[in-house]
Amino acid sequence: MDINSIIIVLFGSSFGLILRIFIQNNLKINLGFNIQNTSIVNFIASFFLGILVALNFIHNKILLLSYAGFLGSFSTFSSFIYQLFVLLQQGKLMRLFFHYIEAIILSFCCFYLGYYLMQIFK
């Protein structure tokens, strides 16, 4: 990997990290049940990933900026795993199960929605 590629990934990841921290600290959504802000970030990242996959970028610098840089830093798989671990430690097994299902299914639905919308608008 050359220095230009590293700079591009760092640039994208900086914006991804800033946006993730902003959403995790400031966004409160109540849909009648508690959705973790980490899940909201993952839903948004999945939606944008669906859009990017539908756009089918070929240019390497765009891939590095968007996939590896921005979305790699914006999405929070390790935070999701930590939340599951905390629920396990607290003995909240039903909540752990529903949080896992919520995150996997809704993230996939957000991905598909982004992909589907881009297929319509292409």
Side-chain angles (χ1 to χ4, degrees):
M1 185 179 279
D2 64 340
I3 190 71
N4 287 336
S5 298
I6 293 170
I7 291 171
I8 289 170
V9 171
L10 287 173
F11 185 73
S13 63
S14 296
F15 284 108
L17 176 63
I18 291 167
L19 186 57
R20 176 181 52 160
I21 290 171
F22 176 79
I23 289 172
Q24 285 182 326
N25 291 335
N26 297 311
L27 188 65
K28 301 292 181 201
I29 294 180
N30 186 359
L31 301 172
F33 54 92
N34 186 18
I35 294 181
Q36 300 286 335
N37 284 354
T38 302
S39 294
I40 293 168
V41 167
N42 289 334
F43 300 154
I44 294 168
S46 296
F47 178 76
F48 283 123
L49 181 61
I51 290 172
L52 293 172
V53 167
L55 291 174
N56 197 19
F57 288 120
I58 300 171
H59 197 272
N60 191 33
K61 292 188 190 301
I62 294 174
L63 291 174
L64 286 174
L65 178 70
S66 58
Y67 293 133
F70 181 77
L71 288 177
S73 181
F74 181 64
S75 64
T76 55
F77 185 73
S78 59
S79 295
F80 167 66
I81 296 300
Y82 177 71
Q83 285 176 344
L84 293 177
F85 178 72
V86 168
L87 291 172
L88 180 66
Q89 278 189 322
Q90 294 172 350
K92 298 179 179 179
L93 299 180
M94 286 299 285
R95 189 159 179 200
L96 179 142
F97 174 75
F98 285 117
H99 181 61
Y100 175 79
I101 295 301
E102 158 202 302
I104 299 299
I105 291 175
L106 290 178
S107 291
F108 180 76
C109 289
C110 290
F111 171 85
Y112 188 76
L113 178 64
Y115 182 83
Y116 180 74
L117 289 175
M118 288 313 297
Q119 293 299 318
I120 290 173
F121 293 117
K122 256 183 164 180

